[in-house]
Amino acid sequence: MNRPLYAVVLALFPASALFAGPADYVFLPAVTYGEREIDFKSGTARNSGDPRMSAASIGFGYGATQRWFTEIYRKYESSGDEGMHFDAWEWENKFQLTEAGEYPVDAGFIVEIEHPKDRSEGNELHLGPLLQTELGKLQLNANILFERHYRAESPQRTELGYQWQVKYRLQPKFEYGFQGFGELGQWNRWDPPDQQTNRMGPAVFGKVGLGNRQALRYNAAWLFGVSKAAPDHTFRFQAEYEF
Amino acid sequence: MYQILGVIALVPCLALAADPEFNLTIRDHRFEPAELRVPAGKKIKLLIENKDDTAEEFESHALNREKVVPARARVTLFIGPLEPGRYPFAGEFHENTAQGVIIAQ
């Protein structure tokens, strides 16, 4: 993206809106040692009057230890009528800090480094704590995420975002609940509510065992914008092939 | 102030000490015992030892737990507190033989 076009994008979308993409997903603190996965994520978002924004990624992940999962993926995006094009490489590292159920809240930590194709955006660093607890058949997740661009052409600030999820564990192949995502603005000085990108909506989840150490895992959500700067509708989907 | 911090610091230790422990062994791709009775309403500490030469994955949707047990290794799981009932689990890598159930009563 050249500099004038980047300036136009920044003017059209508040900085906080650039934080998250429609293909974002809720991080979970647990790590499965030795698990390999091919991970596909996709999403599309639209605000009335604006071009549709879509994103997708494909990645390979590996549970390197009982406490560390690492994944690298290639991200794509499109806006309006333009086709999908390569956007960035991303390296995700997740650390499980506590054993599930050992304490009232399970904890993990996420560190993501994104290397965009457009060098004017610099590199992005996302990090933050991942929290999970259970209430009977309900699983509750809440994550706090900090994001900052480095070596970007435009002045940067550290942004604060969040994710949450409530899941009712009905049966392995089908679970349901709600998810929410949002970006609040600068970590220590939030944007006014109408400039935040808060969105939430119903979600479904499941895992289908394929035998021989293989499984398909999915989750999808339809998110509604609950603040003015958020897209009116976002559909997001994630499928993982575990082997 | 330091007394309060000291008490807070001790809470996790006390909680750990209070968790009753149970053992599961994986041998020949089977869980031993295949039926484990535990107290309802209490968090338990489950020690799983894999005596096979291959890894196994303890998996239970009912317990919301999934944990790989490497070959010839031991892992610890924390479960519950559970309502009275049956909570099936399986070894995902050898599902035909590795089956079991935790009975909370």
Side-chain angles (χ1 to χ4, degrees), chain A residues 32-33 35 66 99-103 134 139 169-172 175 207 213 217, chain B residues 12 16 43 55 57 59 61-62 64-68 70 75-76 78 92-93:
Chain A
T32 303
Y33 172 52
E35 183 176 277
Q66 293 276 17
E99 195 58 58
E102 185 174 4
Y103 302 108
E134 297 171 13
Q139 178 183 304
R169 298 184 303 100
L170 182 67
Q171 54 175 281
E175 302 168 321
K207 179 182 177 183
R213 299 189 183 193
R217 204 184 286 267
Chain B
L16 284 176
K43 186 168 83 173
E57 182 171 11
E59 180 161 26
H61 184 265
N64 201 20
R65 291 290 180 270
E66 189 174 335
K67 183 89 176 175
V68 170
V75 301
T76 302
F78 294 87
E92 195 181 24
F93 297 165

Side-chain angles (χ1 to χ4, degrees), chain A residues 33-108:
Chain A
Y33 172 52
E35 183 176 277
R36 293 165 292 175
E37 68 177 37
I38 294 171
D39 178 15
F40 172 73
K41 295 188 278 287
S42 178
T44 183
R46 181 153 200 187
N47 217 349
S48 55
D50 292 335
R52 175 176 296 281
M53 303 286 288
S54 300
S57 71
I58 186 151
F60 175 76
Y62 178 60
T65 74
Q66 293 276 17
R67 300 278 184 169
W68 173 40
F69 182 85
T70 186
E71 178 172 358
I72 188 155
Y73 45 96
R74 188 174 163 95
K75 299 172 77 171
Y76 299 84
E77 69 173 18
S78 76
S79 175
D81 294 331
E82 70 179 29
M84 279 278 179
H85 59 269
F86 169 58
D87 176 44
W89 285 102
E90 189 153 299
W91 183 29
E92 175 186 307
N93 289 280
K94 185 167 72 175
F95 302 93
Q96 181 177 328
L97 301 181
T98 63
E99 195 58 58
E102 185 174 4
Y103 302 108
V105 176
D106 306 332

Side-chain angles (χ1 to χ4, degrees), chain A residues 107-226:
Chain A
F109 199 85
I110 191 84
V111 179
E112 271 191 340
I113 300 165
E114 184 174 310
H115 183 68
K117 177 187 173 191
D118 178 6
R119 299 304 304 131
S120 68
E121 295 178 31
N123 292 321
E124 288 177 40
L125 175 67
H126 304 160
L127 50 85
L130 315 177
L131 305 172
Q132 176 174 306
T133 193
E134 297 171 13
L135 290 173
K137 285 197 141 194
L138 279 181
Q139 178 183 304
L140 313 171
N141 291 84
N143 304 327
I144 300 164
L145 301 172
F146 296 89
E147 189 229 54
R148 189 174 177 88
H149 289 247
Y150 289 92
R151 298 182 182 175
E153 288 185 0
S154 58
Q156 295 300 319
R157 56 185 194 170
T158 301
E159 305 277 337
L160 179 66
Y162 67 87
Q163 309 174 328
W164 61 264
Q165 173 176 292
V166 178
K167 180 169 80 169
Y168 183 75
R169 298 184 303 100
L170 182 67
Q171 54 175 281
K173 292 177 183 169
F174 181 76
E175 302 168 321
Y176 60 87
F178 289 90
Q179 287 183 337
F181 299 81
E183 293 77 39
L184 303 173
Q186 190 166 320
W187 73 278
N188 57 352
R189 209 169 77 186
W190 295 1
D191 290 338
D194 64 344
Q195 290 179 28
Q196 296 176 9
T197 56
N198 302 304
R199 53 215 185 276
M200 58 184 287
V204 292
F205 316 81
K207 179 182 177 183
V208 181
L210 303 174
N212 199 22
R213 299 189 183 193
Q214 300 173 73
L216 277 179
R217 204 184 286 267
Y218 72 90
N219 70 85
W222 188 276
L223 307 170
F224 301 92
V226 292

